[in-house]
Amino acid sequence: GAGVSQSPSNKVTEKGKDVELRCDPISGHTALYWYRQSLGQGLEFLIYFQGNSAPDKSGLPSDRFSAERTGGSVSTLTIQRTQQEDSAVYLCASSLRDRSYGYTFGSGTRLTVV
Amino acid sequence: DAKTTQPPSMDCAEGRAANLPCNHSTISGNEYVYWYRQIHSQGPQYIIHGLKNNETNEMASLIITEDRKSSTLILPHATLRDTAVYYCIVRVAMWDMRFGAGTRLTVKP
């Protein structure tokens, strides 16, 4: 597609449930990133995928968070046993490999844990 | 890591140029300066980036000082739709785009 697509756009879940957030990057973009943004806060880096290399998971806040990228394209961010502090907007971005290029962000998934 | 410093907020009159400053005094020679903006409830939007030379595109101009310790993003004719938080970022690693607090620009009629 023309842009980075994220789904769902909004998700309300009960505390303790698992959720999956999906990101479909721009075709041909080898790098994919997940960030989250809590209300009124800046963006917090979560994880980075580059081609077939092992992902950099150093930003994941706990072992309840995991992410996969299948076939070098679509990525899924999974949060297990959700807690209220997980409530945030989860943003996905993709870019070409060359770091001189900027990222293209999706519109995000607003997650609310009740 | 090269860090950036931006004023927390700025106002600009509609139709006038908006000049947003950024200090990055510890920038390394091979680090790019990026600017993004985030309009309320949307994901960040890439605006422009540069290394040493001044850059211009359809959205904005980027002026980088000769010593590269600071830069200015210029929106030549600000409109109400330019109201957003503007982030100045120095890319410290290939994967790591660290977003600070940014400058909240309010364009007023």
Side-chain angles (χ1 to χ4, degrees):
Chain A
V4 177
S5 178
Q6 291 188 246
S7 60
S9 55
N10 282 284
K11 176 71 176 180
V12 180
T13 190
E14 293 181 350
K15 178 181 175 182
K17 299 286 188 182
D18 297 352
V19 294
E20 286 189 351
L21 312 179
R22 176 187 169 104
C23 173
D24 200 339
I26 291 174
S27 178
H29 280 193
T30 57
L32 186 147
Y33 314 80
W34 283 97
Y35 289 81
R36 74 175 176 181
Q37 188 171 31
S38 300
L39 186 63
Q41 302 298 311
L43 277 77
E44 175 187 4
F45 167 78
L46 297 178
I47 189 169
Y48 158 72
F49 295 89
Q50 173 58 275
N52 295 321
S53 302
D56 189 308
K57 305 178 181 180
S58 59
L60 295 179
S62 77
D63 58 8
R64 297 186 296 104
F65 287 73
S66 63
E68 292 184 343
R69 189 178 184 191
T70 55
S73 181
V74 173
S75 177
T76 302
L77 177 69
T78 301
I79 308 173
Q80 295 178 311
R81 305 181 302 282
T82 53
Q83 301 178 5
Q84 288 185 331
E85 57 262 33
D86 299 335
S87 296
V89 176
Y90 289 80
L91 290 156
C92 176
S94 70
S95 76
L96 294 170
R97 177 180 174 85
D98 187 335
R99 68 172 177 172
S100 67
Y101 287 86
Y103 296 4
T104 300
F105 279 85
S107 297
T109 294
R110 181 175 299 278
L111 175 66
T112 304
V113 182
V114 297
Chain B
D1 293 352
K3 297 180 180 178
T4 62
T5 304
Q6 299 177 252
S9 64
M10 291 181 62
D11 292 342
C12 178
E14 186 178 19
R16 304 297 294 269
N19 297 288
L20 293 95
C22 180
N23 288 323
H24 32 78
S25 59
T26 60
I27 191 171
S28 298
N30 61 347
E31 290 177 322
Y32 287 79
V33 180
Y34 288 82
W35 283 84
Y36 285 78
R37 72 180 181 183
Q38 188 171 26
I39 296 170
H40 182 62
S41 299
Q42 298 181 21
Q45 177 190 23
Y46 166 79
I47 301 173
I48 199 168
H49 74 278
L51 182 62
K52 294 181 181 179
N53 300 322
N54 298 337
E55 303 288 343
T56 296
N57 62 22
E58 65 277 6
M59 291 182 66
S61 294
L62 174 61
I63 308 299
I64 303 174
T65 58
E66 190 170 346
D67 63 8
R68 301 211 323 125
K69 293 185 177 182
S70 66
S71 61
T72 301
L73 179 74
I74 300 172
L75 308 178
H77 306 287
T79 71
L80 298 179
R81 291 179 295 178
D82 292 323
T83 292
V85 177
Y86 287 77
Y87 297 98
C88 168
I89 301 159
V90 171
R91 197 158 181 179
V92 300
M94 193 165 181
W95 51 262
D96 186 6
M97 192 80 78
R98 299 286 179 97
F99 288 79
T103 295
R104 182 172 298 278
L105 174 70
T106 302
V107 181
K108 298 184 175 181

